[in-house]
Short mmCIF file of all heavy atoms in Angstrom, two decimals:
data_model
loop_
_atom_site.label_atom_id
_atom_site.label_comp_id
_atom_site.label_asym_id
_atom_site.label_seq_id
_atom_site.Cartn_x
_atom_site.Cartn_y
_atom_site.Cartn_z
N GLN A 240 0.79 -1.23 0.00
CA GLN A 240 0.00 0.00 0.00
C GLN A 240 0.83 1.28 0.00
O GLN A 240 0.32 2.35 -0.36
CB GLN A 240 -0.96 0.01 1.19
CG GLN A 240 -0.32 0.11 2.55
CD GLN A 240 -1.37 0.33 3.63
OE1 GLN A 240 -2.31 1.12 3.46
NE2 GLN A 240 -1.26 -0.39 4.73
N ASN A 241 2.09 1.20 0.34
CA ASN A 241 2.94 2.39 0.31
C ASN A 241 3.91 2.39 -0.86
O ASN A 241 4.84 3.20 -0.91
CB ASN A 241 3.72 2.52 1.63
CG ASN A 241 2.80 2.76 2.81
OD1 ASN A 241 1.87 3.56 2.72
ND2 ASN A 241 3.04 2.07 3.91
N ARG A 242 3.71 1.46 -1.79
CA ARG A 242 4.59 1.36 -2.95
C ARG A 242 3.78 1.45 -4.25
O ARG A 242 2.62 1.06 -4.29
CB ARG A 242 5.36 0.03 -2.93
CG ARG A 242 6.41 -0.06 -1.83
CD ARG A 242 7.20 -1.35 -1.95
NE ARG A 242 6.45 -2.50 -1.44
CZ ARG A 242 6.88 -3.76 -1.54
NH1 ARG A 242 8.02 -4.03 -2.17
NH2 ARG A 242 6.17 -4.75 -1.04
N ALA A 243 4.43 1.99 -5.27
CA ALA A 243 3.79 2.04 -6.59
C ALA A 243 3.73 0.63 -7.17
O ALA A 243 4.62 -0.19 -6.89
CB ALA A 243 4.58 2.96 -7.51
N PRO A 244 2.71 0.32 -7.95
CA PRO A 244 1.59 1.19 -8.36
C PRO A 244 0.39 1.12 -7.43
O PRO A 244 -0.60 1.81 -7.66
CB PRO A 244 1.24 0.61 -9.72
CG PRO A 244 1.47 -0.86 -9.56
CD PRO A 244 2.68 -0.98 -8.67
N VAL A 245 0.46 0.30 -6.39
CA VAL A 245 -0.69 0.13 -5.50
C VAL A 245 -1.03 1.44 -4.80
O VAL A 245 -2.21 1.80 -4.67
CB VAL A 245 -0.42 -0.98 -4.46
CG1 VAL A 245 -1.57 -1.06 -3.44
CG2 VAL A 245 -0.25 -2.33 -5.16
N ARG A 246 0.00 2.17 -4.37
CA ARG A 246 -0.25 3.45 -3.69
C ARG A 246 -1.02 4.41 -4.62
O ARG A 246 -1.96 5.10 -4.19
CB ARG A 246 1.07 4.09 -3.26
CG ARG A 246 0.89 5.36 -2.42
CD ARG A 246 0.13 5.06 -1.16
NE ARG A 246 -0.18 6.26 -0.38
CZ ARG A 246 -0.99 6.27 0.66
NH1 ARG A 246 -1.57 5.16 1.06
NH2 ARG A 246 -1.21 7.38 1.32
N ASP A 247 -0.62 4.47 -5.87
CA ASP A 247 -1.29 5.35 -6.83
C ASP A 247 -2.73 4.91 -7.05
O ASP A 247 -3.62 5.74 -7.24
CB ASP A 247 -0.52 5.35 -8.16
CG ASP A 247 0.91 5.84 -7.99
OD1 ASP A 247 1.12 6.71 -7.13
OD2 ASP A 247 1.80 5.34 -8.70
N TRP A 248 -2.94 3.61 -7.05
CA TRP A 248 -4.30 3.08 -7.23
C TRP A 248 -5.18 3.45 -6.04
O TRP A 248 -6.33 3.87 -6.20
CB TRP A 248 -4.25 1.56 -7.41
CG TRP A 248 -5.61 0.92 -7.46
CD1 TRP A 248 -6.46 0.88 -8.51
CD2 TRP A 248 -6.26 0.25 -6.37
NE1 TRP A 248 -7.62 0.21 -8.16
CE2 TRP A 248 -7.52 -0.19 -6.86
CE3 TRP A 248 -5.92 -0.05 -5.05
CZ2 TRP A 248 -8.43 -0.89 -6.05
CZ3 TRP A 248 -6.81 -0.74 -4.26
CH2 TRP A 248 -8.05 -1.16 -4.76
N ILE A 249 -4.64 3.33 -4.84
CA ILE A 249 -5.38 3.66 -3.61
C ILE A 249 -5.86 5.11 -3.64
O ILE A 249 -7.00 5.41 -3.26
CB ILE A 249 -4.50 3.41 -2.37
CG1 ILE A 249 -4.33 1.90 -2.14
CG2 ILE A 249 -5.09 4.07 -1.12
CD1 ILE A 249 -3.38 1.55 -1.01
N LEU A 250 -5.00 6.02 -4.08
CA LEU A 250 -5.35 7.44 -4.09
C LEU A 250 -6.53 7.76 -5.00
O LEU A 250 -7.17 8.80 -4.84
CB LEU A 250 -4.12 8.26 -4.52
CG LEU A 250 -2.92 8.23 -3.57
CD1 LEU A 250 -1.73 8.96 -4.18
CD2 LEU A 250 -3.28 8.84 -2.22
N LEU A 251 -6.82 6.87 -5.94
CA LEU A 251 -7.92 7.09 -6.87
C LEU A 251 -9.25 6.51 -6.38
O LEU A 251 -10.29 6.73 -7.00
CB LEU A 251 -7.58 6.48 -8.24
CG LEU A 251 -6.38 7.08 -8.98
CD1 LEU A 251 -6.12 6.30 -10.26
CD2 LEU A 251 -6.62 8.55 -9.30
N GLN A 252 -9.20 5.76 -5.28
CA GLN A 252 -10.40 5.06 -4.81
C GLN A 252 -11.09 5.83 -3.68
O GLN A 252 -10.48 6.61 -2.99
CB GLN A 252 -10.04 3.65 -4.31
CG GLN A 252 -9.18 2.85 -5.27
CD GLN A 252 -9.76 2.79 -6.67
OE1 GLN A 252 -10.95 2.52 -6.86
NE2 GLN A 252 -8.91 3.03 -7.67
N LYS A 253 -12.39 5.56 -3.52
CA LYS A 253 -13.11 6.11 -2.37
C LYS A 253 -12.70 5.32 -1.12
O LYS A 253 -12.62 4.09 -1.16
CB LYS A 253 -14.61 5.98 -2.58
CG LYS A 253 -15.17 6.88 -3.68
CD LYS A 253 -16.67 6.74 -3.79
CE LYS A 253 -17.25 7.65 -4.86
NZ LYS A 253 -18.72 7.51 -4.97
N GLN A 254 -12.44 6.04 -0.05
CA GLN A 254 -12.02 5.38 1.18
C GLN A 254 -13.07 4.39 1.68
O GLN A 254 -12.74 3.33 2.21
CB GLN A 254 -11.72 6.42 2.27
CG GLN A 254 -11.13 5.84 3.54
CD GLN A 254 -9.82 5.11 3.31
OE1 GLN A 254 -8.93 5.63 2.65
NE2 GLN A 254 -9.70 3.90 3.85
N SER A 255 -14.34 4.73 1.48
CA SER A 255 -15.41 3.84 1.93
C SER A 255 -15.36 2.50 1.20
O SER A 255 -15.67 1.45 1.78
CB SER A 255 -16.78 4.51 1.69
OG SER A 255 -16.96 4.81 0.32
N GLU A 256 -14.93 2.51 -0.09
CA GLU A 256 -14.81 1.27 -0.85
C GLU A 256 -13.59 0.48 -0.41
O GLU A 256 -13.62 -0.76 -0.35
CB GLU A 256 -14.72 1.58 -2.35
CG GLU A 256 -16.01 2.13 -2.95
CD GLU A 256 -17.16 1.12 -2.84
OE1 GLU A 256 -16.96 -0.05 -3.23
OE2 GLU A 256 -18.24 1.50 -2.36
N LEU A 257 -12.51 1.18 -0.09
CA LEU A 257 -11.30 0.51 0.39
C LEU A 257 -11.56 -0.16 1.74
O LEU A 257 -11.03 -1.25 2.01
CB LEU A 257 -10.16 1.53 0.53
CG LEU A 257 -9.61 2.12 -0.77
CD1 LEU A 257 -8.60 3.22 -0.47
CD2 LEU A 257 -8.97 1.05 -1.64
N ASP A 258 -12.36 0.49 2.57
CA ASP A 258 -12.65 -0.06 3.90
C ASP A 258 -13.37 -1.41 3.80
O ASP A 258 -13.21 -2.26 4.69
CB ASP A 258 -13.51 0.92 4.70
CG ASP A 258 -12.74 2.18 5.07
OD1 ASP A 258 -11.50 2.15 5.04
OD2 ASP A 258 -13.39 3.20 5.38
N LYS A 259 -14.12 -1.61 2.73
CA LYS A 259 -14.85 -2.86 2.56
C LYS A 259 -13.93 -4.05 2.30
O LYS A 259 -14.34 -5.21 2.42
CB LYS A 259 -15.85 -2.73 1.41
CG LYS A 259 -16.97 -1.73 1.68
CD LYS A 259 -17.89 -1.59 0.48
CE LYS A 259 -18.98 -0.55 0.73
NZ LYS A 259 -19.86 -0.37 -0.44
N LEU A 260 -12.67 -3.76 1.95
CA LEU A 260 -11.70 -4.84 1.74
C LEU A 260 -11.13 -5.36 3.06
O LEU A 260 -10.51 -6.43 3.10
CB LEU A 260 -10.54 -4.34 0.85
CG LEU A 260 -10.91 -3.90 -0.57
CD1 LEU A 260 -9.67 -3.43 -1.31
CD2 LEU A 260 -11.60 -5.02 -1.34
N HIS A 261 -11.30 -4.57 4.13
CA HIS A 261 -10.86 -4.95 5.48
C HIS A 261 -9.37 -5.25 5.52
O HIS A 261 -8.92 -6.22 6.15
CB HIS A 261 -11.65 -6.17 5.98
CG HIS A 261 -13.14 -5.99 5.95
ND1 HIS A 261 -13.79 -5.10 6.79
CD2 HIS A 261 -14.10 -6.55 5.17
CE1 HIS A 261 -15.09 -5.13 6.54
NE2 HIS A 261 -15.31 -6.00 5.56
N LEU A 262 -8.60 -4.39 4.86
CA LEU A 262 -7.14 -4.57 4.84
C LEU A 262 -6.41 -3.42 5.54
O LEU A 262 -5.19 -3.43 5.62
CB LEU A 262 -6.64 -4.66 3.38
CG LEU A 262 -7.14 -5.84 2.55
CD1 LEU A 262 -6.63 -5.71 1.11
CD2 LEU A 262 -6.68 -7.16 3.15
N GLY A 263 -7.16 -2.43 6.01
CA GLY A 263 -6.54 -1.28 6.65
C GLY A 263 -5.90 -0.32 5.66
O GLY A 263 -5.01 0.45 6.04
N LEU A 264 -6.33 -0.35 4.41
CA LEU A 264 -5.77 0.55 3.40
C LEU A 264 -6.27 1.97 3.65
O LEU A 264 -7.45 2.19 3.86
CB LEU A 264 -6.18 0.11 1.99
CG LEU A 264 -5.78 -1.32 1.58
CD1 LEU A 264 -6.27 -1.60 0.17
CD2 LEU A 264 -4.28 -1.51 1.67
N THR A 265 -5.38 2.93 3.62
CA THR A 265 -5.74 4.33 3.84
C THR A 265 -5.18 5.20 2.73
O THR A 265 -4.21 4.83 2.07
CB THR A 265 -5.20 4.85 5.19
OG1 THR A 265 -3.77 4.71 5.20
CG2 THR A 265 -5.80 4.06 6.34
N GLY A 266 -5.81 6.36 2.54
CA GLY A 266 -5.34 7.29 1.51
C GLY A 266 -6.34 7.53 0.41
O GLY A 266 -6.11 8.35 -0.48
N GLY A 267 -7.49 6.85 0.49
CA GLY A 267 -8.53 7.06 -0.50
C GLY A 267 -9.24 8.39 -0.29
O GLY A 267 -9.06 9.05 0.74
N THR A 268 -10.05 8.79 -1.24
CA THR A 268 -10.77 10.07 -1.14
C THR A 268 -11.95 9.92 -0.19
O THR A 268 -12.65 8.91 -0.19
CB THR A 268 -11.27 10.53 -2.51
OG1 THR A 268 -12.14 9.52 -3.05
CG2 THR A 268 -10.12 10.74 -3.46
N GLN A 269 -12.15 10.95 0.62
CA GLN A 269 -13.27 10.98 1.56
C GLN A 269 -14.49 11.57 0.87
O GLN A 269 -14.39 12.59 0.19
CB GLN A 269 -12.91 11.82 2.80
CG GLN A 269 -11.74 11.29 3.58
CD GLN A 269 -12.05 10.00 4.32
OE1 GLN A 269 -13.22 9.65 4.50
NE2 GLN A 269 -11.03 9.28 4.75
N GLU A 270 -15.63 10.95 1.02
CA GLU A 270 -16.84 11.46 0.41
C GLU A 270 -17.24 12.78 1.05
O GLU A 270 -17.17 12.95 2.27
CB GLU A 270 -17.97 10.44 0.55
CG GLU A 270 -17.69 9.15 -0.23
CD GLU A 270 -18.84 8.17 -0.14
OE1 GLU A 270 -19.99 8.64 -0.09
OE2 GLU A 270 -18.58 6.96 -0.12
N GLY A 271 -17.65 13.73 0.22
CA GLY A 271 -18.05 15.04 0.73
C GLY A 271 -16.92 16.04 0.74
O GLY A 271 -17.12 17.20 1.04
N TYR A 272 -15.70 15.59 0.42
CA TYR A 272 -14.56 16.50 0.39
C TYR A 272 -14.18 16.79 -1.06
O TYR A 272 -14.29 15.93 -1.92
CB TYR A 272 -13.34 15.89 1.10
CG TYR A 272 -13.47 15.92 2.61
CD1 TYR A 272 -14.22 14.95 3.28
CD2 TYR A 272 -12.86 16.92 3.36
CE1 TYR A 272 -14.36 14.97 4.66
CE2 TYR A 272 -12.98 16.95 4.74
CZ TYR A 272 -13.73 15.97 5.38
OH TYR A 272 -13.86 16.00 6.75
N ILE A 273 -13.75 17.99 -1.29
CA ILE A 273 -13.32 18.41 -2.62
C ILE A 273 -11.88 18.88 -2.53
O ILE A 273 -11.52 19.67 -1.66
CB ILE A 273 -14.20 19.55 -3.16
CG1 ILE A 273 -15.67 19.12 -3.21
CG2 ILE A 273 -13.71 20.00 -4.54
CD1 ILE A 273 -16.60 20.23 -3.64
N ASN A 274 -11.05 18.38 -3.42
CA ASN A 274 -9.67 18.83 -3.48
C ASN A 274 -9.62 20.17 -4.21
O ASN A 274 -10.03 20.28 -5.36
CB ASN A 274 -8.80 17.81 -4.23
CG ASN A 274 -8.63 16.53 -3.44
OD1 ASN A 274 -8.59 16.55 -2.22
ND2 ASN A 274 -8.53 15.42 -4.15
N ILE A 275 -9.15 21.18 -3.51
CA ILE A 275 -9.07 22.51 -4.09
C ILE A 275 -7.63 22.84 -4.41
O ILE A 275 -6.76 22.76 -3.55
CB ILE A 275 -9.62 23.57 -3.11
CG1 ILE A 275 -11.11 23.27 -2.80
CG2 ILE A 275 -9.46 24.97 -3.69
CD1 ILE A 275 -11.71 24.20 -1.79
N VAL A 276 -7.38 23.18 -5.65
CA VAL A 276 -6.03 23.55 -6.08
C VAL A 276 -5.94 25.07 -6.09
O VAL A 276 -6.70 25.75 -6.78
CB VAL A 276 -5.74 23.01 -7.50
CG1 VAL A 276 -4.34 23.42 -7.94
CG2 VAL A 276 -5.88 21.49 -7.51
N THR A 277 -5.03 25.61 -5.30
CA THR A 277 -4.86 27.05 -5.21
C THR A 277 -3.99 27.54 -6.36
O THR A 277 -2.85 27.09 -6.51
CB THR A 277 -4.18 27.45 -3.88
OG1 THR A 277 -4.96 26.92 -2.81
CG2 THR A 277 -4.08 28.96 -3.76
N PRO A 278 -4.52 28.41 -7.22
CA PRO A 278 -3.72 28.90 -8.36
C PRO A 278 -2.57 29.77 -7.88
O PRO A 278 -2.68 30.48 -6.88
CB PRO A 278 -4.74 29.69 -9.17
CG PRO A 278 -5.76 30.14 -8.18
CD PRO A 278 -5.86 29.02 -7.17
N LYS A 279 -1.48 29.69 -8.59
CA LYS A 279 -0.31 30.51 -8.27
C LYS A 279 -0.21 31.62 -9.32
O LYS A 279 -0.07 31.35 -10.50
CB LYS A 279 0.96 29.65 -8.29
CG LYS A 279 0.97 28.59 -7.20
CD LYS A 279 2.28 27.80 -7.24
CE LYS A 279 2.31 26.75 -6.14
NZ LYS A 279 3.57 25.97 -6.16
N PHE A 280 -0.33 32.86 -8.83
CA PHE A 280 -0.27 33.99 -9.74
C PHE A 280 1.13 34.59 -9.74
O PHE A 280 1.73 34.77 -8.67
CB PHE A 280 -1.27 35.08 -9.32
CG PHE A 280 -2.70 34.61 -9.35
CD1 PHE A 280 -3.35 34.21 -8.19
CD2 PHE A 280 -3.37 34.51 -10.55
CE1 PHE A 280 -4.65 33.76 -8.22
CE2 PHE A 280 -4.69 34.07 -10.59
CZ PHE A 280 -5.32 33.70 -9.43
N PRO A 281 1.66 34.90 -10.90
CA PRO A 281 3.00 35.51 -10.95
C PRO A 281 2.96 36.92 -10.38
O PRO A 281 1.96 37.61 -10.48
CB PRO A 281 3.33 35.52 -12.45
CG PRO A 281 1.99 35.52 -13.13
CD PRO A 281 1.09 34.69 -12.23
N ALA A 282 4.06 37.33 -9.79
CA ALA A 282 4.15 38.68 -9.22
C ALA A 282 4.08 39.70 -10.34
O ALA A 282 4.61 39.51 -11.43
CB ALA A 282 5.47 38.82 -8.45
#
């Protein structure tokens, strides 16, 4: 779970779906949360 490509796969999954595997996998997306990317403006 901390090595590629499994780690990359985990990051794309919903955490609730990973929990159903009962393996203790963490790092999936939490439902109701949105990843916000802050734009970087040049000076």
Side-chain angles (χ1 to χ4, degrees):
Q240 67 171 317
N241 295 316
R242 291 184 282 174
V245 174
R246 186 60 186 171
D247 300 326
W248 174 79
I249 288 175
L250 295 174
L251 297 176
Q252 311 308 313
K253 291 182 179 180
Q254 186 59 48
S255 59
E256 291 298 310
L257 292 173
D258 292 341
K259 294 177 183 179
L260 298 180
H261 305 292
L262 297 176
L264 302 179
T265 59
T268 59
Q269 299 289 344
E270 295 183 34
Y272 285 80
I273 301 176
N274 291 327
I275 299 177
V276 179
T277 304
K279 294 182 179 180
F280 298 100

